[in-house]
């Protein structure tokens, strides 16, 4: 249940075939919805990017550029494609459906049963683009097909230090964090790896990750259901909604905290601390490495 970089995997012909020219020709002018950001650090919480639509071949060539003659926000804007299903609200991303020609070039490592498969997310990033720190609720492989990435990871156990808003961390700059605003962040233990073309990173469910594309690159994320299928929210198309039991527990906790507000501050503080101790006693792991 720890991240690991797998090297020398048999990934198919994608690692040699997926040049800019080949990608452009293979999927042609089909329309794709992309993120466009005027700054390298994308922030999902403040939404410092816009969504735009481009023909796939135009997008690929723009994403590979450093400066753009045609642009939406600025001549050095960054581009990011995260493939989605036909109906993003209902359908999962599956490269075999959205990019069938490219899918023929990929051999996905078989470390899970076919019925556990959830999604295969096709990603293309401009050089220098950084994605926000977040966790997913399913195990996944980050397959780096072309280009290089740096990935910074944090253990689920360090969640108290990451200033979470839902599944995402408010600490945008993990290299130069604002420690006046986020003083506990120094307690989070940082793990770091660099992915070359052809490398595969296993990211276990609940492990936080922050990704920088050091070069223009193409990647494929493959998610699968590590827990029994009924554990997951059936409306989850992105693999980032908390398991249904966890969501129910959080709702119950919110109701309990609301009930505590009926007490004076001194009592509220005392019983809240008792609740924390009870959660630690009943739910924390003792063998967490």
């Amino acid at each position: 249940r720890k991240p690991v970089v797998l090297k020398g995997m048999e990934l198919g012909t994608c690692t040699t075939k997926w040049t800019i020219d080949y990608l452009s020709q293979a999927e042609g002018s089909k329309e794709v919805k992309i993120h466009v950001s005027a700054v390298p650090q994308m922030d999902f919480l403040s939404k410092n990017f816009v969504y735009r639509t481009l023909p796939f071949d135009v997008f690929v060539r723009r994403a590979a550029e450093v400066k753009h003659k045609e642009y939406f926000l600025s001549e050095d804007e960054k581009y990011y494609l995260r493939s989605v299903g036909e109906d993003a609200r209902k359908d999962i991303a599956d490269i075999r459906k959205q990019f069938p020609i490219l899918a023929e070039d990929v051999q996905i490592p078989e470390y899970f049963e076919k019925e556990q498969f959830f999604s295969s997310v096709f990603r293309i990033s401009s050089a220098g683009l950084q994605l926000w720190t977040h966790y997913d609720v399913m195990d996944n492989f980050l397959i780096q097909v072309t280009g290089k990435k740096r990935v910074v990871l944090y253990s689920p156990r360090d969640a108290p230090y990451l200033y979470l808003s839902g599944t995402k961390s408010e600490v945008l700059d993990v290299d130069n964090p604002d420690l006046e605003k986020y003083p506990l962040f120094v307690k989070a233990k940082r793990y770091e790896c660099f992915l070359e073309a052809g490398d595969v990173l296993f990211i276990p469910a609940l492990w936080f990750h922050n990704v920088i594309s050091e070069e223009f690159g193409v990647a494929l994320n493959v998610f699968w259901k590590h827990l029994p299928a009924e554990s997951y929210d059936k409306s989850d198309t992105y693999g980032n909604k908390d398991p249904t039991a966890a969501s129910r527990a959080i709702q119950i906790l919110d109701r309990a905290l609301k009930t505590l507000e009926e007490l004076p501050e001194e009592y509220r503080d005392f019983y809240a601390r008792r609740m924390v101790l009870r959660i630690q006693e009943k739910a924390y792991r003792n063998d967490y490495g």
Side-chain angles (χ1 to χ4, degrees), residues 16-219:
T16 54
K17 286 176 71 174
W18 284 8
T19 62
I20 294 168
D21 286 340
Y22 176 78
L23 291 169
S24 300
Q25 293 166 9
E27 296 292 346
S29 59
K30 68 187 294 178
E31 298 275 295
V32 288
K33 189 176 181 180
I34 56 172
H35 301 67
V36 183
S37 177
V39 295
Q41 285 181 332
M42 289 176 61
D43 181 1
F44 193 82
L45 297 175
S46 70
K47 295 289 196 300
N48 66 345
F49 53 85
V50 296
Y51 292 105
R52 293 291 183 266
T53 302
L54 280 175
F56 182 74
D57 51 356
V58 174
F59 157 69
V60 169
R61 295 191 181 282
R62 277 212 212 172
E65 298 171 344
V66 177
K67 298 282 186 183
H68 314 293
K69 290 181 179 177
E70 295 183 53
Y71 51 84
F72 297 106
L73 304 174
S74 64
E75 65 175 7
D76 58 351
E77 65 193 14
K78 306 293 184 185
Y79 298 91
Y80 172 57
L81 167 68
R82 189 262 189 225
S83 66
V84 295
E86 285 72 18
D87 182 335
R89 293 171 296 177
K90 297 178 181 179
D91 302 322
I92 60 162
D94 187 341
I95 190 173
R96 294 169 297 185
K97 295 178 181 177
Q98 287 94 49
F99 300 92
I101 297 171
L102 296 178
E104 293 178 3
D105 302 332
V106 182
Q107 184 175 318
I108 294 172
E110 295 182 358
Y111 278 72
F112 53 92
E113 300 298 329
K114 282 183 171 56
E115 60 269 18
Q116 291 178 282
F117 172 84
F118 176 73
S119 66
S120 50
V121 182
F122 185 58
R123 301 182 190 269
I124 296 181
S125 304
S126 293
L129 186 79
Q130 183 171 15
L131 290 182
W132 52 87
T133 304
H134 68 283
Y135 72 87
D136 301 294
V137 300
M138 297 182 192
D139 286 353
N140 82 86
F141 280 142
L142 172 54
I143 302 170
Q144 190 64 28
V145 181
T146 71
K148 297 179 181 178
K149 277 194 175 79
R150 185 199 76 175
V151 185
V152 174
L153 303 110
Y154 300 95
S155 163
R157 199 175 193 185
D158 283 342
Y161 315 132
L162 297 179
Y163 297 87
L164 297 185
S165 177
T167 62
K168 301 161 187 69
S169 170
E170 293 180 13
V171 185
L172 197 59
D173 191 340
V174 297
D175 299 305
N176 298 289
D178 182 346
L179 294 180
E180 286 191 10
K181 191 174 182 180
Y182 308 114
L184 295 178
F185 186 71
V186 294
K187 295 187 176 183
K189 183 177 179 181
R190 173 185 176 125
Y191 299 82
E192 185 175 280
C193 67
F194 292 87
L195 302 181
E196 305 274 347
D199 289 348
V200 179
L201 172 62
F202 169 57
I203 307 176
L206 310 183
W207 273 78
F208 296 88
H209 43 288
N210 178 287
V211 181
I212 289 184
S213 296
E214 300 204 321
E215 301 174 341
F216 164 78
V218 184

